[in-house]
Amino acid sequence: MKKKFYITTPIYYTNQAPHVGTAYTTIAADVLARYHRQKGDDVLFLTGTDEHGEKIAQAAKKAGKSPQEFVDGIAEEFKKSWKALNISNDDFIRTTDEKHKRGVEKFLLKLKESGKVYQDEYKGLYCTGCEKFITKKELVDGKCPDHQKEPELISETNYFFKLKDFLPQVKKLIEDDKILIEPQERKKEVLSLIDQDLGNFSISRQNVEWGIPLPFDKKQNIYVWVEALQNYVTAIGYEDNKEKFNQYWPADLHLVGKDIIKFHAIFWPALLLAVGLKLPKKIFVHGFFTIDGQKMSKTLGNVIDPIYLADKYGVDSLRYFLLREIAFGQDGDFSIRRLEERYNADLANGLGNLVSRVLTLASKINIIGKQGELTKKIEPVRKKYQEALAQIKFNEALESVWQLIGFCDEYIEKNKPWELVKNDQKKAGEILSELLISLKEISSLLEPFLPDTAEKIMSQLKDNKKGKSLFPRL
Ligand SMILES: [Zn+2]
């Protein structure tokens, strides 16, 4: 039987169009999805959009649209962007989908039945920028540090979830890696958050109109975070399509940014425990990047449109750069200068040059399937690559491919096949055979990362014609 692999990105908040940050997570998920498909796994790759909440209602108002019109437009932009970036998602969930709303209602009813929901008055500070309650401790100069805005003081009667009842169990599960949180430092961060004595949290809001009504008290809407998290189960047919749900749940991997780990690593497992569902196997937390050393923000005007980059440098170049330049899981910096440097060095001169050299020489002679000195190096490279991807170290996986490219270059320099084609056709055939086998391997290793390029290399190999330039120099 095929092994299943269910991978998710966070659903992106629709107050803003896709940018290079959201593209980063989605491309990462895409590489893993493609890699698992290549291995023969039964992959389900989910992404989507988070469309409710006050912040969306405000953004819609500002744009002179109804919330629904507004989110329809943004969801469309996300879909278009992912298509342009060659993202192979199997499904795209929107929290305004009927399927999602139905599932959420059933989830909330189960939660109520569990006896872990109660009514209470809430008084506290709320940041609409974050769409979350915020404590005085978290403020800097009285403002939310992420939004530079003073939070609102809110007092209302809400429904609460008894998170505290589940904290010891969640803590144990994380300690024992039953929910694996990576990288290690993030696991420590989550455990220390649990130790800071988190309170119960509100699952509904009274005065937020753009949302899903609480099924047991329609005067309230479900708190946007609570229903958004449920997209991971509603998308695969929670209480709706049993067969599909049982096939894919629990998720094998949630990819999340470091700003949302509390919700994913503590609240989400607790909610799942309360309704009796299995828990996600792994949560991988990636870092953020600055743009030329500065935080990316609308106010600074340095939010980069991934489609612009893909148009200018090519989709594969962007995919390559994002995953090669910054170690996934760490913070890093994005700059056009670095992108251009890497493009010229790694793609135009490295990969592109090798492919065209080998194919041009190989088109002149008869190839025999000889293996030897060079092809012996393939197996250890493949092993390194697989180990790196098992640990979600994209940069190391790519490094190993470029190591093989380096071996090929050395082999060419050493054996000078351009001379051999003139005076020793047999020997030239042997040398080029090894190079062609290596190219085939390189293209297969690159497929998850650079799907178009890999396809071009494969079709040039089949045609056995002169190599065409894959990456013209900038
Ligand atoms: Zn905020």
Side-chain angles (χ1 to χ4, degrees), residues 57-88:
Q58 283 169 1
K61 208 170 173 188
K62 220 171 146 188
K65 291 180 178 170
S66 75
Q68 187 65 56
E69 266 178 315
F70 182 76
V71 294
D72 284 350
I74 304 259
E76 218 30 64
E77 275 189 62
F78 273 95
K79 285 183 182 173
K80 256 201 290 192
S81 291
W82 299 161
K83 205 168 167 209
L85 296 179
N86 224 338
I87 302 299
S88 65

Side-chain angles (χ1 to χ4, degrees), residues 171-225:
K171 187 178 174 191
K172 183 88 174 58
L173 287 161
I174 292 172
E175 278 170 346
D176 297 347
D177 292 335
K178 294 279 178 344
I179 309 170
L180 190 58
I181 297 179
E182 287 187 333
Q184 272 295 313
E185 61 265 29
R186 296 296 170 198
K187 173 177 165 180
K188 280 191 207 135
E189 187 185 330
V190 171
L191 290 173
S192 95
L193 274 172
I194 294 178
D195 285 340
Q196 280 165 24
D197 194 26
L198 292 170
N200 291 336
F201 71 90
S202 147
I203 57 164
S204 69
R205 295 292 315 278
Q206 217 171 38
N207 300 313
V208 174
E209 273 165 31
W210 180 237
I212 303 175
L214 199 59
F216 45 83
D217 182 351
K218 305 250 161 142
K219 289 194 297 296
Q220 305 234 344
N221 272 333
I222 303 165
Y223 174 40
V224 61
W225 261 107

Side-chain angles (χ1 to χ4, degrees), residues 127 129-130 144 146-147:
C127 173
C130 302
C144 161
D146 288 342
H147 294 94

Side-chain angles (χ1 to χ4, degrees), residues 55 126-132 134 143-149 151:
K55 199 154 75 160
Y126 190 86
C127 173
T128 36
C130 302
E131 290 285 11
K132 70 179 183 195
I134 188 165
K143 290 175 181 170
C144 161
D146 288 342
H147 294 94
Q148 302 302 321
K149 247 169 56 178

